[in-house]
Amino acid sequence: MAAIHSSSLSSSFKQTKATQLGGFQPLDRVHLQSKALNFSRRRCNVKPLNAEPKRNDSIVPSAATLFSPHVVEVVEKVEVEDYEELAKDLENASPLEIMDKALAKFGDEIAIAFSGAEDVALIEYAHLTGRPYRVFSLDTGRLNPETYKFFDEVEKHYGIRIEYMFPDAVEVQALVRTKGLFSFYEDGHQECCRVRKVKPLRRALKGLRAWITGQRKDQSPGTRSEVPVVQVDPVFEGLEGGAGSLVKWNPVANMKGNDIWNFLRAMNVPVNSLHAKGYISIGCEPCTRPVLPGQHEREGRWWWEDAKAKECGLHKGNIKEENLNGNGSVHVNGTVPEADLFTNQSVVNLSRPGIENLLKLENRKESWLVVLYAPWCQFCQGMEGSYVELADKLVGSGVKVAKFRADGEEKPFAQQELQLGSFPTILFFPKHSSRPVKYTSEKRDVDSLMAFVNALQ
Ligand code: SF4
């Protein structure tokens, strides 16, 4: 579903609405294709600062290759954008100018992430550009009633439909049945945030080439002080998959909280009624509280945890190296390590003797697919959803899917014996061979991984 503010597009929304339920795909494929005839395809192939080296570039046919019937040989024209340069160019641009640039550049393949707080300013800026725009929001199931009412008000005010993303019901069920409704007070918010926020966000972003956030430098002392106005997303993947496939725009990065509020008042923009009760930053009901005058706004979020690591995972790329401990795991309050990954029952958790046995066997009963991972690695986190989905699909197929945590003291062994270069490394142990085959592509979506398995089965 798409959120379109202009009345001229409201009919196209109605036409496509019925077929878009539950999905998060670009609004109008026909429209997109016709646009593709006129413009060379834009790909963001600038690596984020902490990206691993690209091991195997995939070839994506250009729009001209796809649609021209008479072309025998086509040289693909790829517009390469240097987002670090662009961020410098736009450093002094107004939020409206940045928003306009973002919407003009990405059209239907960009969407505003709306949390239900003062980031409604982003919607107002998008509205002011006069361009069509999309808005999505994560409904964690734990929001305040005021926030739901506010969503409704915003939809009516702008004549849009917000594209809500929901967590996976089975995962929420498993978490709550095992640990209760308030486990985040006991062992940190990461696990719950991952299920209720990060995974749905990841799903949403997989249908986009760019997203727009309301991050500001003044919001979090430890994690947001260097937010650029635009960057290659250092954590999440976009439509084409792989590191560098998603661009993140932060049009209000340089604004102060006061500037945002002046703007909202001047433009008569509706605001969440929680703000009048002392809330500044607004998230889930159990994890957000009002702050006192003089307190920093992020002190109202996860107040039982360390002030410098208050990211729910949506903007984890902001967490810098000094916030990581020796083996790279984020310690939220000095004691709680990063939650484990791939915790699905279809994924076998291999110990060191387990993987050593796999290496020794020359004739296995089944083939094995094994990911060498580290829970703190953003790229491992990024592929968690697809790897677990793949594991579920391969149940009973003759291919076992497993994981081996290869950081810390296991790292030298993994580097020497398991071809570990960087995280994640994916290995296929064929049935009749002792030597594992390394997956060299950076495409870690289910179809790409399945093609790799099928090619070696
Ligand atoms: Fe869970 Fe709190 Fe995170 Fe919401 S903010 S997803 S309730 S831990």
Side-chain angles (χ1 to χ4, degrees):
M1 285 183 287
I4 306 296
H5 88 289
S6 82
S7 55
S8 62
L9 286 161
S10 62
S11 60
S12 84
F13 171 71
K14 282 176 195 151
Q15 284 161 10
T16 53
K17 188 178 174 187
T19 54
Q20 290 165 344
L21 287 174
F24 193 88
Q25 292 301 317
L27 165 69
D28 183 338
R29 285 288 170 198
V30 177
H31 175 59
L32 276 180
Q33 286 180 1
S34 67
K35 279 207 307 189
L37 283 167
N38 297 324
F39 300 102
S40 62
R41 186 167 199 155
R42 293 173 167 89
R43 296 169 60 200
C44 83
N45 51 3
V46 179
K47 295 185 189 90
L49 285 177
N50 53 355
E52 299 159 41
K54 211 163 182 72
R55 287 169 284 203
N56 187 11
D57 271 335
S58 63
I59 306 295
V60 180
S62 70
T65 314
L66 285 169
F67 296 107
S68 174
H70 306 299
V71 174
V72 176
E73 189 178 303
V74 176
V75 179
E76 185 183 1
K77 270 179 75 180
V78 175
E79 185 179 310
V80 179
E81 182 76 75
D82 182 336
Y83 284 96
E84 275 183 47
E85 271 307 306
L86 184 60
K88 279 184 206 153
D89 292 348
L90 294 175
E91 189 56 23
N92 296 315
S94 69
L96 181 59
E97 201 180 334
I98 298 166
M99 178 66 78
D100 191 62
K101 180 117 189 152
L103 295 178
K105 200 169 176 61
F106 288 97
D108 283 338
E109 296 175 319
I110 188 169
I112 296 169
F114 177 45
S115 74
E118 82 274 17
D119 53 353
V120 66
L122 297 173
I123 303 179
E124 179 66 20
Y125 279 123
H127 173 77
L128 291 175
T129 66
R131 297 182 186 277
Y133 59 90
R134 303 169 65 190
V135 179
F136 74 95
S137 193
L138 307 175
D139 184 350
T140 62
R142 303 296 291 265
L143 304 177
N144 296 75
E146 290 89 341
T147 302
Y148 289 109
K149 281 186 195 138
F150 180 48
F151 283 150
D152 185 54
E153 210 180 331
V154 168
E155 287 193 336
K156 288 182 176 133
H157 184 82
Y158 291 102
I160 61 173
R161 279 274 175 269
I162 296 171
E163 304 173 47
Y164 297 105
M165 299 300 296
F166 297 93
D168 181 276
V170 174
E171 287 183 27
V172 173
Q173 194 171 287
L175 174 66
V176 173
R177 285 189 184 179
T178 333
K179 295 191 160 185
L181 282 164
F182 297 95
S183 58
F184 35 85
Y185 293 142
E186 306 293 325
D187 58 8
H189 70 271
Q190 269 82 3
E191 189 176 11
C192 180
C193 276
R194 182 178 298 150
V195 170
R196 292 181 188 269
K197 286 184 175 178
V198 181
K199 287 188 168 182
L201 174 68
R202 197 173 287 143
R203 251 189 289 127
L205 297 178
K206 278 293 218 175
L208 299 170
R209 290 186 197 280
W211 63 311
I212 303 169
T213 85
Q215 284 193 103
R216 300 194 318 269
K217 286 177 180 156
D218 71 340
Q219 276 174 322
S220 191
T223 63
R224 296 194 180 180
S225 53
E226 289 171 25
V227 173
V229 297
V230 60
Q231 64 189 135
V232 174
D233 195 301
V235 177
F236 294 103
E237 294 180 7
L239 199 57
E240 285 181 5
S245 59
L246 186 73
V247 176
K248 186 174 179 180
W249 293 80
N250 309 302
V252 295
N254 296 324
M255 285 180 88
K256 299 263 185 290
N258 276 349
D259 301 333
I260 294 274
W261 279 99
N262 288 338
F263 172 68
L264 295 178
R265 269 186 227 110
M267 303 308 293
N268 206 16
V269 174
V271 295
N272 193 322
S273 62
L274 287 173
H275 292 302
K277 297 177 185 168
Y279 288 76
I280 301 181
S281 177
I282 295 174
C284 293
E285 186 276 329
C287 302
T288 314
R289 65 179 183 180
V291 291
L292 295 168
Q295 271 188 305
H296 193 277
E297 65 183 81
R298 299 296 280 185
E299 289 182 57
R301 303 290 295 278
W302 307 295
W303 56 91
W304 62 97
E305 296 178 0
D306 174 47
K308 282 198 173 172
K310 290 185 180 181
E311 294 293 352
C312 54
L314 307 192
H315 303 294
K316 207 174 221 171
N318 297 336
I319 298 176
K320 292 200 277 179
E321 287 296 316
E322 60 261 37
N323 290 342
L324 304 178
N325 74 1
N327 66 8
S329 62
V330 176
H331 277 214
V332 175
N333 54 17
T335 55
V336 182
E338 187 72 56
D340 198 15
L341 296 174
F342 317 110
T343 51
N344 185 285
Q345 58 185 9
S346 311
V347 180
V348 179
N349 189 7
L350 287 173
S351 61
R352 170 79 171 265
I355 199 153
E356 281 175 339
N357 277 342
L358 260 189
L359 277 172
K360 282 182 213 147
L361 288 175
E362 297 222 338
N363 226 343
R364 302 175 192 88
K365 280 192 192 142
E366 291 176 302
S367 305
W368 285 71
L369 185 73
V370 182
V371 62
L372 310 180
Y373 75 104
W376 46 265
C377 161
Q378 295 162 351
F379 301 100
C380 301
Q381 292 165 8
M383 67 168 279
E384 186 181 22
S386 48
Y387 196 70
V388 165
E389 193 181 328
L390 180 78
D392 285 339
K393 283 190 174 167
L394 287 173
V395 170
S397 70
V399 180
K400 286 260 190 219
V401 177
K403 63 176 183 176
F404 175 65
R405 183 169 175 167
D407 61 337
E409 59 190 29
E410 300 295 1
K411 198 167 177 184
F413 158 74
Q415 285 170 324
Q416 216 173 332
E417 305 292 333
L418 296 167
Q419 308 172 52
L420 174 71
S422 53
F423 292 114
T425 290
I426 301 169
L427 300 175
F428 188 80
F429 293 76
K431 216 165 159 183
H432 303 298
S433 163
S434 61
R435 188 165 167 72
V437 181
K438 186 170 173 174
Y439 181 66
T440 53
S441 167
E442 288 197 346
K443 286 191 174 287
R444 300 178 191 121
D445 57 284
V446 180
D447 291 344
S448 303
L449 292 171
M450 188 63 96
F452 172 63
V453 169
N454 287 338
L456 297 168
Q457 249 297 60

Short mmCIF file of all heavy atoms in Angstrom, two decimals, residues 140 142 184 189 192-193 196-197 284 286-287 301-302 312, ligand 1:
data_model
loop_
_atom_site.label_atom_id
_atom_site.label_comp_id
_atom_site.label_asym_id
_atom_site.label_seq_id
_atom_site.Cartn_x
_atom_site.Cartn_y
_atom_site.Cartn_z
N THR A 140 4.27 -2.04 16.58
CA THR A 140 4.88 -3.09 17.41
C THR A 140 3.84 -3.84 18.22
O THR A 140 4.13 -4.85 18.83
CB THR A 140 5.89 -2.48 18.40
OG1 THR A 140 5.16 -1.59 19.28
CG2 THR A 140 6.98 -1.72 17.68
N ARG A 142 2.71 -2.54 20.86
CA ARG A 142 2.89 -2.04 22.22
C ARG A 142 2.86 -0.51 22.27
O ARG A 142 3.43 0.10 23.18
CB ARG A 142 4.23 -2.55 22.80
CG ARG A 142 4.41 -4.06 22.83
CD ARG A 142 3.41 -4.76 23.74
NE ARG A 142 3.61 -4.49 25.14
CZ ARG A 142 4.31 -5.28 25.98
NH1 ARG A 142 4.88 -6.37 25.54
NH2 ARG A 142 4.41 -4.98 27.26
N PHE A 184 12.04 -7.31 28.53
CA PHE A 184 13.04 -6.25 28.25
C PHE A 184 13.52 -5.55 29.51
O PHE A 184 14.61 -5.00 29.55
CB PHE A 184 12.49 -5.24 27.24
CG PHE A 184 11.02 -4.97 27.35
CD1 PHE A 184 10.54 -4.04 28.25
CD2 PHE A 184 10.11 -5.69 26.58
CE1 PHE A 184 9.19 -3.80 28.36
CE2 PHE A 184 8.74 -5.45 26.68
CZ PHE A 184 8.26 -4.51 27.59
N HIS A 189 16.46 -4.53 25.98
CA HIS A 189 15.38 -4.37 25.01
C HIS A 189 15.68 -4.95 23.64
O HIS A 189 14.80 -5.01 22.79
CB HIS A 189 15.00 -2.89 24.89
CG HIS A 189 16.04 -2.05 24.22
ND1 HIS A 189 17.06 -1.44 24.88
CD2 HIS A 189 16.21 -1.73 22.92
CE1 HIS A 189 17.81 -0.76 24.02
NE2 HIS A 189 17.31 -0.93 22.82
N CYS A 192 13.37 -8.02 22.20
CA CYS A 192 12.00 -7.63 21.88
C CYS A 192 11.98 -6.67 20.69
O CYS A 192 11.17 -6.80 19.77
CB CYS A 192 11.36 -7.01 23.11
SG CYS A 192 9.67 -6.49 22.87
N CYS A 193 12.92 -5.70 20.70
CA CYS A 193 12.98 -4.75 19.59
C CYS A 193 13.29 -5.46 18.28
O CYS A 193 12.80 -5.08 17.23
CB CYS A 193 14.05 -3.69 19.85
SG CYS A 193 13.49 -2.31 20.86
N ARG A 196 9.92 -7.12 17.28
CA ARG A 196 8.79 -6.22 17.02
C ARG A 196 9.12 -5.05 16.11
O ARG A 196 8.23 -4.44 15.55
CB ARG A 196 8.25 -5.67 18.35
CG ARG A 196 7.58 -6.72 19.23
CD ARG A 196 7.06 -6.03 20.50
NE ARG A 196 6.59 -6.97 21.48
CZ ARG A 196 5.32 -7.39 21.57
NH1 ARG A 196 4.43 -6.95 20.72
NH2 ARG A 196 4.96 -8.23 22.52
N LYS A 197 10.40 -4.71 16.00
CA LYS A 197 10.74 -3.53 15.21
C LYS A 197 11.71 -3.84 14.07
O LYS A 197 11.47 -3.51 12.91
CB LYS A 197 11.42 -2.48 16.09
CG LYS A 197 10.51 -1.74 17.02
CD LYS A 197 11.31 -0.68 17.73
CE LYS A 197 10.44 0.20 18.59
NZ LYS A 197 11.24 1.19 19.30
N CYS A 284 7.43 2.64 22.21
CA CYS A 284 6.42 1.73 22.77
C CYS A 284 6.03 2.19 24.19
O CYS A 284 6.86 2.75 24.92
CB CYS A 284 6.98 0.32 22.83
SG CYS A 284 7.26 -0.39 21.22
N PRO A 286 5.55 0.58 27.11
CA PRO A 286 6.30 0.18 28.31
C PRO A 286 7.73 0.73 28.36
O PRO A 286 8.36 0.67 29.40
CB PRO A 286 6.35 -1.36 28.23
CG PRO A 286 5.59 -1.76 27.03
CD PRO A 286 5.33 -0.54 26.20
N CYS A 287 8.22 1.23 27.23
CA CYS A 287 9.63 1.63 27.16
C CYS A 287 9.81 3.13 26.97
O CYS A 287 10.89 3.60 26.65
CB CYS A 287 10.31 0.89 26.00
SG CYS A 287 10.21 -0.89 26.17
N ARG A 301 13.56 7.05 27.15
CA ARG A 301 13.50 5.76 26.45
C ARG A 301 14.42 4.77 27.15
O ARG A 301 15.57 5.10 27.45
CB ARG A 301 13.96 5.91 24.99
CG ARG A 301 13.16 6.92 24.21
CD ARG A 301 11.75 6.45 23.93
NE ARG A 301 11.71 5.28 23.06
CZ ARG A 301 11.81 5.34 21.73
NH1 ARG A 301 11.94 6.49 21.14
NH2 ARG A 301 11.76 4.24 21.01
N TRP A 302 13.97 3.55 27.39
CA TRP A 302 14.78 2.48 28.00
C TRP A 302 15.63 3.05 29.14
O TRP A 302 16.84 2.84 29.20
CB TRP A 302 15.69 1.81 26.94
CG TRP A 302 14.93 1.35 25.74
CD1 TRP A 302 13.98 0.37 25.72
CD2 TRP A 302 15.04 1.82 24.39
NE1 TRP A 302 13.49 0.21 24.44
CE2 TRP A 302 14.12 1.09 23.61
CE3 TRP A 302 15.82 2.79 23.76
CZ2 TRP A 302 13.97 1.30 22.25
CZ3 TRP A 302 15.66 2.99 22.41
CH2 TRP A 302 14.75 2.25 21.68
N CYS A 312 17.34 1.11 19.16
CA CYS A 312 16.55 -0.11 19.19
C CYS A 312 16.97 -1.08 18.10
O CYS A 312 16.43 -2.15 17.97
CB CYS A 312 15.08 0.22 19.01
SG CYS A 312 14.79 1.19 17.53
FE1 SF4 B 1 9.71 -4.18 22.84
FE2 SF4 B 1 10.14 -1.94 24.23
FE3 SF4 B 1 11.47 -2.41 21.92
FE4 SF4 B 1 8.85 -1.82 21.95
S1 SF4 B 1 10.57 -0.48 22.56
S2 SF4 B 1 9.84 -3.38 20.73
S3 SF4 B 1 8.16 -2.93 23.78
S4 SF4 B 1 11.62 -3.55 23.87
#
